[in-house]
Amino acid sequence: MKKIIIAIDGPAASGKSTTAKLLARKIGYVHLDTGAMYRACALAAKRHQTNIDDPSQIMKIMSDIKIDIQYSNNGNLIFLDGEDVSEEIREPDISRLASAISAKRHVREKMVELQRELGKSGGVIVDGRDIGTVVFPNAELKFFMIAPLEIRAQRRYQELLANNKKANFQEVLRELKERDLADSSRVLAPLVPAKDAIQIDTGDLSIDEQVDLLYGYYQNLMVGS
Ligand code: DC
């Protein structure tokens, strides 16, 4: 059967990554979490104390950076210069820095190139902000996931607690709101739905329902092809 590219875009904590991971398992595809790649860039910048507003410093870290992805049943493992940083990139300060650094041209150019290389053979579900619009505009199936801010903040908050992280609901809410605004209002590859994306509101859906819904679209497409 033909192996296609499935793009899933949407704001932070809209359920993209979890849905992508489970859907990939169900179809037998790999899941590529592009947010994790920008997070790894942010961690590199933090470690090198890079001034991200200085293009020459950004160019320097982007020319030296080595990001590797390993696909596992439990999501992507991200390696920065050979070190597994999958946990460290989930810290709140890295979320903020990832959003800021992802607005920089050199960072996007390098990451988009890597993402295209990783997804070129198909059989992949790629989640992010600009997958259906910029990275894979010809993806056979595109989804744009949304959910009300309060619900997304509640999900992220519960996720932090479940991982034994300190969390304050109001802070989580504010951070998501700021990041959504930054990601959707930036000049380069802003968060906007592709014209041909199917919009999914996950506000009232369980994870299983989200996966089943997307799987239904996938099956319909494959039956028709
Ligand atoms: O999906 P995430 O929350 O882990 O992504 C972290 C940041 O990376 C997000 O705030 C914006 C950026 N990002 C992006 O600009 N383009 C993508 N395709 C994925 C993420």
Side-chain angles (χ1 to χ4, degrees):
M1 199 186 276
K2 187 178 175 217
K3 287 193 172 267
I4 64 165
I5 295 177
I6 302 178
I8 306 184
D9 290 306
S14 54
K16 303 181 303 282
S17 263
T18 312
T19 307
K21 180 174 80 181
L22 296 175
L23 185 63
R25 247 187 241 168
K26 195 162 174 149
I27 304 180
Y29 276 18
V30 294
H31 161 217
L32 179 60
D33 174 356
T34 63
M37 297 166 74
Y38 289 99
R39 286 170 180 272
C41 295
L43 182 60
K46 182 183 168 189
R47 288 182 173 176
H48 290 97
Q49 299 179 336
T50 305
N51 171 5
I52 67 163
D53 292 321
D54 177 346
S56 66
Q57 290 193 35
I58 287 276
M59 267 169 90
K60 169 91 181 85
I61 58 160
M62 292 319 291
S63 64
D64 295 345
I65 202 167
K66 198 174 170 302
I67 295 178
D68 292 297
I69 317 272
Q70 259 180 35
Y71 303 115
S72 88
N73 240 354
N74 248 338
N76 290 177
L77 291 176
I78 309 286
F79 294 82
L80 175 62
D81 302 322
E83 179 193 344
D84 183 352
V85 294
S86 315
E87 290 263 321
E88 205 173 339
I89 57 168
R90 299 292 155 196
E91 295 295 328
D93 64 327
I94 297 296
S95 302
R96 274 188 295 275
L97 193 54
S99 176
I101 207 169
S102 70
K104 308 294 177 192
R105 179 175 302 279
H106 289 109
V107 176
R108 294 211 78 80
E109 279 172 3
K110 180 134 184 184
M111 289 306 106
V112 169
E113 190 188 324
L114 186 55
Q115 290 155 16
R116 287 186 178 146
E117 183 57 34
L118 290 167
K120 68 177 183 208
S121 315
V124 65
I125 303 179
V126 191
D127 88 81
R129 303 291 187 288
D130 62 336
I131 309 305
T133 48
V134 175
V135 183
F136 292 114
N138 297 326
E140 287 87 346
L141 197 51
K142 298 180 187 177
F143 296 102
F144 194 82
M145 294 181 92
I146 54 163
L149 176 67
E150 289 273 339
I151 292 182
R152 289 187 285 120
Q154 194 53 252
R155 287 179 185 157
R156 183 51 50 89
Y157 176 65
Q158 295 301 338
E159 193 180 291
L160 289 166
L161 294 185
N163 289 320
N164 294 320
K165 297 264 164 64
K166 265 200 262 153
N168 170 303
F169 178 73
Q170 288 306 326
E171 247 172 59
V172 172
L173 187 98
R174 185 169 41 81
E175 193 265 328
L176 279 186
K177 204 171 167 181
E178 283 172 10
R179 206 142 63 88
D180 284 352
L181 179 67
D183 294 344
S184 5
S185 59
R186 67 185 180 210
V187 177
L188 294 173
L191 169 68
V192 283
K195 285 197 179 65
D196 49 350
I198 301 161
Q199 185 146 310
I200 309 274
D201 188 335
T202 68
D204 292 325
L205 300 178
S206 68
I207 291 290
D208 285 346
E209 287 169 335
Q210 291 172 38
V211 176
D212 287 347
L213 186 61
L214 270 61
Y215 185 66
Y217 281 105
Y218 164 77
Q219 276 190 315
N220 274 348
L221 180 78
M222 296 322 265
V223 166
S225 70

